[in-house]
Amino acid sequence: MKKILSLMALFLCFACGMRAQSGNCGAYLTWELADSTLTISGHGPMNYNSNPWNEYKSQIARVSLPDGLTSISSWAFSSCDNLQSIVIPGSVVSIGDYTFQDCQKLSKVVIKGGLQSIGYQAFYQCYNLAEINLPSSLLTIDGLAFCQCSSLTSISIPEKITTIYGSTFAYCSSLKEVTLPKNLQIIYGNAFSGCGIISIVIPNSVTTLGEGAFSNCTNLTSVSLSNNLSTIPKGAFSGCENLTSVSIPKGVTTIGSGAFSNCTNLTSVSI
């Protein structure tokens, strides 16, 4: 009899552990986690005082987001170690800070348009992220948003982006192809430091280049600088060891210290 009772108690504990978890995550949003799938239902912005599914993150392998969701909160899915892909519905206009940080198995993100902002460190250290589309609606990508996404191979930055913040794509070591928007104005420090970029065209709309912006891009062989630059700052292309030649635009009046330091194959500089 004692053995039967013990087995029943064990079964009940197991059943409780497998029971779906649920709650609210906004004024008009609910969530449920069942069978490794986190399902958000309802409409409006995601909003909570503390992440309601935080203790269950290791169980989340799939996330279903509803049409009608308008924002994804900071830290919402950070460190969801088993999350591999996600679809962001067209109703979402903002992705918060750190939202997908350290989702180390996340390999594919589909954004269905409408998104306007990606927060600080939103995809930081998503080492396996190889595929993401940035929609034409996008206005802002905050600093370190894609830093250390070392599986990302190409990115086309939408035309409405005018500023690339510090270290946004730093250490994306497999990032070989980057297309910059024609209305871009500012590239802040270390924005593409340590990337695998082979060649880059900095459009003439760019007036400001930050320190170390393309430093340690060891595969970089060709660069076309904006004709509207007045300064090439400190360390801008330092460590670009395969860069062989560079043409300095006529408007440049200042070249910072070490702007081309350790460019060991640089043999031609025209001014």
Coordinates of all heavy atoms in Angstrom, one line a residue, residues 65 106 122 145 192 201 207 209 216 230 251 268:
L65 N 3.7 34.7 -31.4 CA 3.3 36.0 -31.1 C 2.1 36.4 -31.9 O 2.0 36.0 -33.1 CB 4.5 37.0 -31.4 CG 5.8 36.8 -30.6 CD1 6.8 37.8 -31.1 CD2 5.5 36.9 -29.1
L106 N 19.3 30.7 -31.3 CA 18.5 31.4 -32.2 C 19.2 31.6 -33.5 O 20.3 32.2 -33.6 CB 18.1 32.8 -31.6 CG 17.2 33.6 -32.4 CD1 15.8 33.0 -32.5 CD2 17.0 35.0 -31.8
A122 N 19.7 44.1 -28.3 CA 18.5 43.3 -28.5 C 18.9 41.9 -28.9 O 18.2 40.9 -28.5 CB 17.6 43.9 -29.5
A145 N 23.3 46.2 -30.8 CA 22.1 45.4 -31.0 C 22.4 44.0 -31.6 O 21.8 43.0 -31.3 CB 21.2 46.1 -32.0
F192 N 31.4 48.6 -36.7 CA 31.7 47.4 -37.4 C 33.0 46.8 -37.1 O 33.6 46.0 -37.8 CB 31.6 47.6 -38.9 CG 30.3 48.1 -39.4 CD1 29.9 49.4 -39.6 CD2 29.3 47.1 -39.7 CE1 28.7 49.8 -40.0 CE2 28.0 47.5 -40.2 CZ 27.7 48.8 -40.3
V201 N 31.3 50.5 -49.0 CA 31.1 51.8 -49.7 C 30.4 52.6 -48.6 O 29.2 52.4 -48.2 CB 30.3 51.7 -50.9 CG1 29.9 53.1 -51.5 CG2 31.0 50.8 -52.0
T207 N 28.7 62.1 -42.8 CA 29.5 63.3 -42.4 C 30.4 63.0 -41.2 O 31.4 63.7 -40.9 CB 28.7 64.5 -42.1 OG1 27.7 64.2 -41.1 CG2 27.9 65.0 -43.4
L209 N 32.3 59.9 -38.8 CA 32.8 58.5 -38.7 C 33.4 58.4 -37.3 O 34.3 59.3 -36.9 CB 33.8 58.2 -39.7 CG 34.2 56.7 -40.0 CD1 33.0 55.9 -40.4 CD2 35.3 56.7 -41.0
N216 N 40.0 46.5 -37.1 CA 40.2 45.0 -37.0 C 39.3 44.2 -37.9 O 38.9 43.1 -37.6 CB 40.1 44.6 -35.6 CG 41.1 45.2 -34.7 OD1 42.3 45.1 -34.9 ND2 40.7 45.8 -33.6
S230 N 35.1 65.2 -43.0 CA 36.2 66.2 -42.8 C 37.2 65.5 -41.9 O 38.4 66.0 -41.8 CB 35.6 67.4 -42.1 OG 35.0 67.1 -40.9
G251 N 37.8 66.8 -48.9 CA 37.3 67.5 -47.8 C 37.9 67.2 -46.4 O 37.7 67.8 -45.4
S268 N 49.3 52.0 -50.8 CA 49.0 53.2 -51.6 C 48.0 54.1 -50.9 O 46.9 53.6 -50.5 CB 48.5 52.8 -52.9 OG 48.0 53.9 -53.7

